[in-house]
PDB file of all heavy atoms in Angstrom:
ATOM      1  N   ILE A 475      24.293 -17.518 137.079  1.00  0.00           N
ATOM      2  CA  ILE A 475      24.092 -16.178 136.531  1.00  0.00           C
ATOM      3  C   ILE A 475      22.877 -15.549 137.189  1.00  0.00           C
ATOM      4  O   ILE A 475      21.964 -16.250 137.628  1.00  0.00           O
ATOM      5  CB  ILE A 475      23.910 -16.209 134.998  1.00  0.00           C
ATOM      6  CG1 ILE A 475      22.694 -17.056 134.599  1.00  0.00           C
ATOM      7  CG2 ILE A 475      25.163 -16.700 134.314  1.00  0.00           C
ATOM      8  CD1 ILE A 475      22.385 -17.010 133.122  1.00  0.00           C
ATOM      9  N   PRO A 476      22.825 -14.212 137.291  1.00  0.00           N
ATOM     10  CA  PRO A 476      21.683 -13.548 137.920  1.00  0.00           C
ATOM     11  C   PRO A 476      20.390 -13.791 137.156  1.00  0.00           C
ATOM     12  O   PRO A 476      20.392 -13.910 135.918  1.00  0.00           O
ATOM     13  CB  PRO A 476      22.063 -12.060 137.886  1.00  0.00           C
ATOM     14  CG  PRO A 476      23.537 -12.039 137.665  1.00  0.00           C
ATOM     15  CD  PRO A 476      23.866 -13.257 136.878  1.00  0.00           C
ATOM     16  N   GLU A 477      19.297 -13.866 137.878  1.00  0.00           N
ATOM     17  CA  GLU A 477      17.981 -14.076 137.264  1.00  0.00           C
ATOM     18  C   GLU A 477      17.659 -12.974 136.254  1.00  0.00           C
ATOM     19  O   GLU A 477      17.084 -13.223 135.193  1.00  0.00           O
ATOM     20  CB  GLU A 477      16.923 -14.105 138.368  1.00  0.00           C
ATOM     21  CG  GLU A 477      15.503 -14.304 137.877  1.00  0.00           C
ATOM     22  CD  GLU A 477      14.498 -14.246 139.004  1.00  0.00           C
ATOM     23  OE1 GLU A 477      14.886 -13.874 140.136  1.00  0.00           O
ATOM     24  OE2 GLU A 477      13.319 -14.563 138.770  1.00  0.00           O
ATOM     25  N   GLY A 478      18.042 -11.726 136.559  1.00  0.00           N
ATOM     26  CA  GLY A 478      17.735 -10.606 135.677  1.00  0.00           C
ATOM     27  C   GLY A 478      18.495 -10.603 134.371  1.00  0.00           C
ATOM     28  O   GLY A 478      18.175  -9.829 133.471  1.00  0.00           O
ATOM     29  N   ALA A 479      19.499 -11.468 134.241  1.00  0.00           N
ATOM     30  CA  ALA A 479      20.279 -11.519 132.997  1.00  0.00           C
ATOM     31  C   ALA A 479      19.590 -12.344 131.921  1.00  0.00           C
ATOM     32  O   ALA A 479      19.971 -12.278 130.752  1.00  0.00           O
ATOM     33  CB  ALA A 479      21.666 -12.102 133.278  1.00  0.00           C
ATOM     34  N   VAL A 480      18.565 -13.110 132.295  1.00  0.00           N
ATOM     35  CA  VAL A 480      17.962 -14.092 131.379  1.00  0.00           C
ATOM     36  C   VAL A 480      16.699 -13.535 130.735  1.00  0.00           C
ATOM     37  O   VAL A 480      15.848 -12.949 131.409  1.00  0.00           O
ATOM     38  CB  VAL A 480      17.630 -15.393 132.130  1.00  0.00           C
ATOM     39  CG1 VAL A 480      17.067 -16.433 131.162  1.00  0.00           C
ATOM     40  CG2 VAL A 480      18.864 -15.929 132.837  1.00  0.00           C
ATOM     41  N   LEU A 481      16.588 -13.713 129.437  1.00  0.00           N
ATOM     42  CA  LEU A 481      15.357 -13.435 128.700  1.00  0.00           C
ATOM     43  C   LEU A 481      14.784 -14.761 128.225  1.00  0.00           C
ATOM     44  O   LEU A 481      15.519 -15.653 127.816  1.00  0.00           O
ATOM     45  CB  LEU A 481      15.626 -12.533 127.489  1.00  0.00           C
ATOM     46  CG  LEU A 481      16.108 -11.102 127.778  1.00  0.00           C
ATOM     47  CD1 LEU A 481      16.367 -10.381 126.471  1.00  0.00           C
ATOM     48  CD2 LEU A 481      15.094 -10.343 128.603  1.00  0.00           C
ATOM     49  N   TRP A 482      13.443 -14.865 128.288  1.00  0.00           N
ATOM     50  CA  TRP A 482      12.783 -16.117 127.912  1.00  0.00           C
ATOM     51  C   TRP A 482      11.938 -15.900 126.668  1.00  0.00           C
ATOM     52  O   TRP A 482      11.252 -14.899 126.524  1.00  0.00           O
ATOM     53  CB  TRP A 482      11.877 -16.608 129.043  1.00  0.00           C
ATOM     54  CG  TRP A 482      12.604 -16.898 130.311  1.00  0.00           C
ATOM     55  CD1 TRP A 482      12.871 -16.041 131.331  1.00  0.00           C
ATOM     56  CD2 TRP A 482      13.175 -18.155 130.696  1.00  0.00           C
ATOM     57  NE1 TRP A 482      13.564 -16.674 132.330  1.00  0.00           N
ATOM     58  CE2 TRP A 482      13.766 -17.972 131.973  1.00  0.00           C
ATOM     59  CE3 TRP A 482      13.244 -19.408 130.096  1.00  0.00           C
ATOM     60  CZ2 TRP A 482      14.412 -18.997 132.644  1.00  0.00           C
ATOM     61  CZ3 TRP A 482      13.887 -20.422 130.761  1.00  0.00           C
ATOM     62  CH2 TRP A 482      14.460 -20.222 132.024  1.00  0.00           C
ATOM     63  N   ILE A 488      17.895 -16.848 126.789  1.00  0.00           N
ATOM     64  CA  ILE A 488      19.029 -16.189 126.161  1.00  0.00           C
ATOM     65  C   ILE A 488      19.614 -15.150 127.106  1.00  0.00           C
ATOM     66  O   ILE A 488      18.938 -14.641 128.003  1.00  0.00           O
ATOM     67  CB  ILE A 488      18.641 -15.516 124.820  1.00  0.00           C
ATOM     68  CG1 ILE A 488      17.621 -14.404 125.065  1.00  0.00           C
ATOM     69  CG2 ILE A 488      18.115 -16.531 123.834  1.00  0.00           C
ATOM     70  CD1 ILE A 488      17.322 -13.578 123.831  1.00  0.00           C
ATOM     71  N   VAL A 489      20.898 -14.838 126.907  1.00  0.00           N
ATOM     72  CA  VAL A 489      21.589 -13.772 127.618  1.00  0.00           C
ATOM     73  C   VAL A 489      22.377 -12.972 126.586  1.00  0.00           C
ATOM     74  O   VAL A 489      22.525 -13.392 125.434  1.00  0.00           O
ATOM     75  CB  VAL A 489      22.539 -14.322 128.702  1.00  0.00           C
ATOM     76  CG1 VAL A 489      21.785 -15.102 129.749  1.00  0.00           C
ATOM     77  CG2 VAL A 489      23.651 -15.170 128.085  1.00  0.00           C
ATOM     78  N   LYS A 510      17.044 -23.366 139.662  1.00  0.00           N
ATOM     79  CA  LYS A 510      17.119 -21.997 140.168  1.00  0.00           C
ATOM     80  C   LYS A 510      17.395 -22.044 141.664  1.00  0.00           C
ATOM     81  O   LYS A 510      16.703 -22.706 142.424  1.00  0.00           O
ATOM     82  CB  LYS A 510      15.813 -21.257 139.902  1.00  0.00           C
ATOM     83  CG  LYS A 510      15.834 -19.806 140.382  1.00  0.00           C
ATOM     84  CD  LYS A 510      14.497 -19.128 140.111  1.00  0.00           C
ATOM     85  CE  LYS A 510      14.510 -17.703 140.620  1.00  0.00           C
ATOM     86  NZ  LYS A 510      13.195 -17.037 140.442  1.00  0.00           N
ATOM     87  N   ASN A 513      17.997 -16.218 143.706  1.00  0.00           N
ATOM     88  CA  ASN A 513      17.808 -15.339 142.549  1.00  0.00           C
ATOM     89  C   ASN A 513      18.845 -15.594 141.454  1.00  0.00           C
ATOM     90  O   ASN A 513      19.179 -14.705 140.676  1.00  0.00           O
ATOM     91  CB  ASN A 513      17.873 -13.874 142.991  1.00  0.00           C
ATOM     92  CG  ASN A 513      19.207 -13.524 143.626  1.00  0.00           C
ATOM     93  OD1 ASN A 513      19.980 -14.421 143.958  1.00  0.00           O
ATOM     94  ND2 ASN A 513      19.470 -12.237 143.801  1.00  0.00           N
ATOM     95  N   LYS A 514      19.354 -16.834 141.388  1.00  0.00           N
ATOM     96  CA  LYS A 514      20.332 -17.194 140.379  1.00  0.00           C
ATOM     97  C   LYS A 514      19.929 -18.491 139.678  1.00  0.00           C
ATOM     98  O   LYS A 514      19.247 -19.324 140.255  1.00  0.00           O
ATOM     99  CB  LYS A 514      21.731 -17.360 140.995  1.00  0.00           C
ATOM    100  CG  LYS A 514      22.350 -16.059 141.505  1.00  0.00           C
ATOM    101  CD  LYS A 514      23.764 -16.317 142.003  1.00  0.00           C
ATOM    102  CE  LYS A 514      24.438 -15.021 142.446  1.00  0.00           C
ATOM    103  NZ  LYS A 514      25.829 -15.265 142.902  1.00  0.00           N
ATOM    104  N   TYR A 515      20.377 -18.620 138.408  1.00  0.00           N
ATOM    105  CA  TYR A 515      20.161 -19.845 137.647  1.00  0.00           C
ATOM    106  C   TYR A 515      21.497 -20.564 137.431  1.00  0.00           C
ATOM    107  O   TYR A 515      22.528 -19.920 137.189  1.00  0.00           O
ATOM    108  CB  TYR A 515      19.553 -19.536 136.283  1.00  0.00           C
ATOM    109  CG  TYR A 515      18.078 -19.255 136.304  1.00  0.00           C
ATOM    110  CD1 TYR A 515      17.596 -17.960 136.176  1.00  0.00           C
ATOM    111  CD2 TYR A 515      17.154 -20.294 136.447  1.00  0.00           C
ATOM    112  CE1 TYR A 515      16.237 -17.692 136.185  1.00  0.00           C
ATOM    113  CE2 TYR A 515      15.795 -20.042 136.457  1.00  0.00           C
ATOM    114  CZ  TYR A 515      15.348 -18.746 136.326  1.00  0.00           C
ATOM    115  OH  TYR A 515      14.001 -18.490 136.349  1.00  0.00           O
ATOM    116  N   ILE A 527      28.544 -10.809 131.051  1.00  0.00           N
ATOM    117  CA  ILE A 527      27.184 -10.750 130.507  1.00  0.00           C
ATOM    118  C   ILE A 527      26.446  -9.530 131.057  1.00  0.00           C
ATOM    119  O   ILE A 527      26.820  -8.973 132.092  1.00  0.00           O
ATOM    120  CB  ILE A 527      26.377 -12.030 130.838  1.00  0.00           C
ATOM    121  CG1 ILE A 527      26.217 -12.188 132.361  1.00  0.00           C
ATOM    122  CG2 ILE A 527      27.008 -13.252 130.215  1.00  0.00           C
ATOM    123  CD1 ILE A 527      25.257 -13.273 132.760  1.00  0.00           C
ATOM    124  N   VAL A 528      25.396  -9.127 130.339  1.00  0.00           N
ATOM    125  CA  VAL A 528      24.543  -8.022 130.796  1.00  0.00           C
ATOM    126  C   VAL A 528      23.662  -8.532 131.928  1.00  0.00           C
ATOM    127  O   VAL A 528      22.924  -9.511 131.761  1.00  0.00           O
ATOM    128  CB  VAL A 528      23.687  -7.487 129.642  1.00  0.00           C
ATOM    129  CG1 VAL A 528      22.750  -6.390 130.140  1.00  0.00           C
ATOM    130  CG2 VAL A 528      24.568  -6.963 128.519  1.00  0.00           C
ATOM    131  N   SER A 529      23.739  -7.883 133.085  1.00  0.00           N
ATOM    132  CA  SER A 529      22.939  -8.301 134.239  1.00  0.00           C
ATOM    133  C   SER A 529      21.813  -7.332 134.555  1.00  0.00           C
ATOM    134  O   SER A 529      20.866  -7.674 135.260  1.00  0.00           O
ATOM    135  CB  SER A 529      23.836  -8.466 135.469  1.00  0.00           C
ATOM    136  OG  SER A 529      24.571  -7.277 135.713  1.00  0.00           O
ATOM    137  N   HIS A 530      21.893  -6.110 134.049  1.00  0.00           N
ATOM    138  CA  HIS A 530      20.816  -5.131 134.226  1.00  0.00           C
ATOM    139  C   HIS A 530      20.670  -4.342 132.933  1.00  0.00           C
ATOM    140  O   HIS A 530      21.644  -3.915 132.332  1.00  0.00           O
ATOM    141  CB  HIS A 530      21.136  -4.180 135.383  1.00  0.00           C
ATOM    142  CG  HIS A 530      20.019  -3.225 135.692  1.00  0.00           C
ATOM    143  ND1 HIS A 530      19.872  -2.017 135.070  1.00  0.00           N
ATOM    144  CD2 HIS A 530      18.974  -3.339 136.556  1.00  0.00           C
ATOM    145  CE1 HIS A 530      18.803  -1.405 135.534  1.00  0.00           C
ATOM    146  NE2 HIS A 530      18.242  -2.185 136.442  1.00  0.00           N
ATOM    147  N   GLY A 531      19.408  -4.173 132.488  1.00  0.00           N
ATOM    148  CA  GLY A 531      19.159  -3.510 131.212  1.00  0.00           C
ATOM    149  C   GLY A 531      19.158  -4.469 130.038  1.00  0.00           C
ATOM    150  O   GLY A 531      19.380  -4.076 128.893  1.00  0.00           O
ATOM    151  N   THR A 532      18.879  -5.749 130.319  1.00  0.00           N
ATOM    152  CA  THR A 532      18.922  -6.770 129.259  1.00  0.00           C
ATOM    153  C   THR A 532      17.899  -6.490 128.165  1.00  0.00           C
ATOM    154  O   THR A 532      18.174  -6.689 126.971  1.00  0.00           O
ATOM    155  CB  THR A 532      18.675  -8.159 129.865  1.00  0.00           C
ATOM    156  OG1 THR A 532      19.411  -8.287 131.073  1.00  0.00           O
ATOM    157  CG2 THR A 532      19.101  -9.256 128.908  1.00  0.00           C
ATOM    158  N   PHE A 533      16.706  -6.023 128.557  1.00  0.00           N
ATOM    159  CA  PHE A 533      15.675  -5.745 127.555  1.00  0.00           C
ATOM    160  C   PHE A 533      16.090  -4.581 126.652  1.00  0.00           C
ATOM    161  O   PHE A 533      15.779  -4.554 125.459  1.00  0.00           O
ATOM    162  CB  PHE A 533      14.342  -5.441 128.238  1.00  0.00           C
ATOM    163  CG  PHE A 533      13.647  -6.657 128.741  1.00  0.00           C
ATOM    164  CD1 PHE A 533      13.694  -6.994 130.087  1.00  0.00           C
ATOM    165  CD2 PHE A 533      12.944  -7.492 127.888  1.00  0.00           C
ATOM    166  CE1 PHE A 533      13.064  -8.127 130.559  1.00  0.00           C
ATOM    167  CE2 PHE A 533      12.312  -8.629 128.349  1.00  0.00           C
ATOM    168  CZ  PHE A 533      12.374  -8.942 129.687  1.00  0.00           C
ATOM    169  N   LYS A 654       2.624 -12.485 137.945  1.00  0.00           N
ATOM    170  CA  LYS A 654       3.603 -12.689 136.866  1.00  0.00           C
ATOM    171  C   LYS A 654       3.864 -14.182 136.671  1.00  0.00           C
ATOM    172  O   LYS A 654       3.822 -14.686 135.546  1.00  0.00           O
ATOM    173  CB  LYS A 654       4.905 -11.963 137.205  1.00  0.00           C
ATOM    174  CG  LYS A 654       6.033 -12.236 136.209  1.00  0.00           C
ATOM    175  CD  LYS A 654       7.331 -11.555 136.615  1.00  0.00           C
ATOM    176  CE  LYS A 654       8.468 -11.918 135.663  1.00  0.00           C
ATOM    177  NZ  LYS A 654       9.749 -11.258 136.041  1.00  0.00           N
ATOM    178  N   ASP A 682       8.077  -5.416 136.954  1.00  0.00           N
ATOM    179  CA  ASP A 682       8.983  -6.165 137.835  1.00  0.00           C
ATOM    180  C   ASP A 682      10.385  -5.561 137.837  1.00  0.00           C
ATOM    181  O   ASP A 682      11.371  -6.253 137.592  1.00  0.00           O
ATOM    182  CB  ASP A 682       9.016  -7.642 137.409  1.00  0.00           C
ATOM    183  CG  ASP A 682       9.650  -8.536 138.477  1.00  0.00           C
ATOM    184  OD1 ASP A 682       9.767  -8.078 139.623  1.00  0.00           O
ATOM    185  OD2 ASP A 682      10.030  -9.667 138.147  1.00  0.00           O
ATOM    186  N   ASN A 683      10.428  -4.259 138.114  1.00  0.00           N
ATOM    187  CA  ASN A 683      11.710  -3.546 138.195  1.00  0.00           C
ATOM    188  C   ASN A 683      12.556  -3.701 136.932  1.00  0.00           C
ATOM    189  O   ASN A 683      13.746  -4.038 136.985  1.00  0.00           O
ATOM    190  CB  ASN A 683      12.503  -4.018 139.416  1.00  0.00           C
ATOM    191  CG  ASN A 683      11.809  -3.683 140.722  1.00  0.00           C
ATOM    192  OD1 ASN A 683      11.248  -2.605 140.857  1.00  0.00           O
ATOM    193  ND2 ASN A 683      11.834  -4.607 141.664  1.00  0.00           N
ATOM    194  N   ASP A 684      11.910  -3.494 135.783  1.00  0.00           N
ATOM    195  CA  ASP A 684      12.562  -3.529 134.468  1.00  0.00           C
ATOM    196  C   ASP A 684      13.023  -4.921 134.054  1.00  0.00           C
ATOM    197  O   ASP A 684      13.766  -5.065 133.080  1.00  0.00           O
ATOM    198  CB  ASP A 684      13.762  -2.571 134.425  1.00  0.00           C
ATOM    199  CG  ASP A 684      13.329  -1.111 134.470  1.00  0.00           C
ATOM    200  OD1 ASP A 684      12.178  -0.834 134.111  1.00  0.00           O
ATOM    201  OD2 ASP A 684      14.140  -0.263 134.874  1.00  0.00           O
ATOM    202  N   LYS A 685      12.575  -5.967 134.775  1.00  0.00           N
ATOM    203  CA  LYS A 685      12.879  -7.331 134.332  1.00  0.00           C
ATOM    204  C   LYS A 685      11.921  -7.766 133.232  1.00  0.00           C
ATOM    205  O   LYS A 685      12.193  -8.700 132.486  1.00  0.00           O
ATOM    206  CB  LYS A 685      12.786  -8.304 135.516  1.00  0.00           C
ATOM    207  CG  LYS A 685      13.828  -8.053 136.600  1.00  0.00           C
ATOM    208  CD  LYS A 685      13.607  -8.987 137.770  1.00  0.00           C
ATOM    209  CE  LYS A 685      14.571  -8.679 138.905  1.00  0.00           C
ATOM    210  NZ  LYS A 685      14.301  -9.509 140.103  1.00  0.00           N
ATOM    211  N   GLY A 686      10.772  -7.113 133.166  1.00  0.00           N
ATOM    212  CA  GLY A 686       9.776  -7.458 132.165  1.00  0.00           C
ATOM    213  C   GLY A 686       8.815  -8.515 132.655  1.00  0.00           C
ATOM    214  O   GLY A 686       9.163  -9.350 133.492  1.00  0.00           O
TER     215      GLY A 686
END
Side-chain angles (χ1 to χ4, degrees):
I475 60 174
E477 180 183 9
V480 183
L481 295 178
W482 299 89
I488 63 173
V489 299
K510 181 181 179 183
N513 60 347
K514 292 184 177 181
Y515 281 105
I527 62 170
V528 177
S529 55
H530 185 273
T532 317
F533 283 101
K654 174 183 176 180
D682 194 16
N683 296 320
D684 291 337
K685 295 176 184 175

